[in-house]
Amino acid sequence: MTDGQQIATMLMFSGRAEEAMTFYAGLFADSGIDFVQRYGPDYPGPEGQVVHARFRLAGPPYLAMDSAVEQPYGFNPAISFFVTCADAAEVDRLSGALSQDGKVLMALDAYPFAQRYAWVQDRFGVSWQLMFAGDRTA
């Protein structure tokens, strides 16, 4: 590794980056949008959409953008945010909010590896695994 090298998670949306970041930041404590650069009249993308943005979810930073061109692909459940929750009620709250207008990939329930677990895909196509393990370990 060289000095200054960094790796960050980048989420690419199709015109909904700011909406998604605002939604996510409202669900988790210690979250917010730190920086947004928008397409202007001299940029190749739709004016006002996000060229690059930096936001935080429960502390760690992430990057987001709106693609300047339509892409033939989107998010895939093979990569997901894994959220360890403090209690079962938090799993229920997040599962309800994130699955609204999205879809359930694994139903909210008890599983051998968790007292409360759900795997959902939100309305933006991003996948979330939500777990309260209790006295179980994953």
Side-chain angles (χ1 to χ4, degrees), residues 85 87-99 108-109 116-118 130:
C85 297
D87 55 44
E90 184 72 353
V91 174
D92 293 359
R93 180 184 75 83
L94 291 172
S95 176
L98 290 165
S99 65
L108 178 63
D109 208 344
R116 198 74 170 151
Y117 175 88
L130 311 163

Side-chain angles (χ1 to χ4, degrees), residues 38-124:
R38 298 179 194 291
Y39 289 109
D42 297 328
Y43 280 90
E47 192 168 350
Q49 289 187 2
V50 176
V51 176
H52 286 108
R54 187 175 51 249
F55 67 108
R56 292 170 287 105
L57 294 179
Y62 298 90
L63 304 173
M65 66 178 285
D66 284 317
S67 179
V69 297
E70 188 173 329
Q71 300 295 336
Y73 46 80
F75 295 108
N76 181 314
I79 295 180
S80 59
F81 286 102
F82 191 94
V83 182
T84 303
C85 297
D87 55 44
E90 184 72 353
V91 174
D92 293 359
R93 180 184 75 83
L94 291 172
S95 176
L98 290 165
S99 65
Q100 185 175 1
D101 298 326
K103 64 181 173 180
V104 174
L105 303 175
M106 261 178 96
L108 178 63
D109 208 344
Y111 290 92
F113 55 87
Q115 287 183 5
R116 198 74 170 151
Y117 175 88
W119 190 352
V120 301
Q121 192 171 46
D122 68 29
R123 64 182 175 249
F124 308 104

Side-chain angles (χ1 to χ4, degrees), residues 1-7:
M1 183 167 104
T2 62
D3 289 338
Q5 183 180 39
Q6 296 180 354
I7 297 175

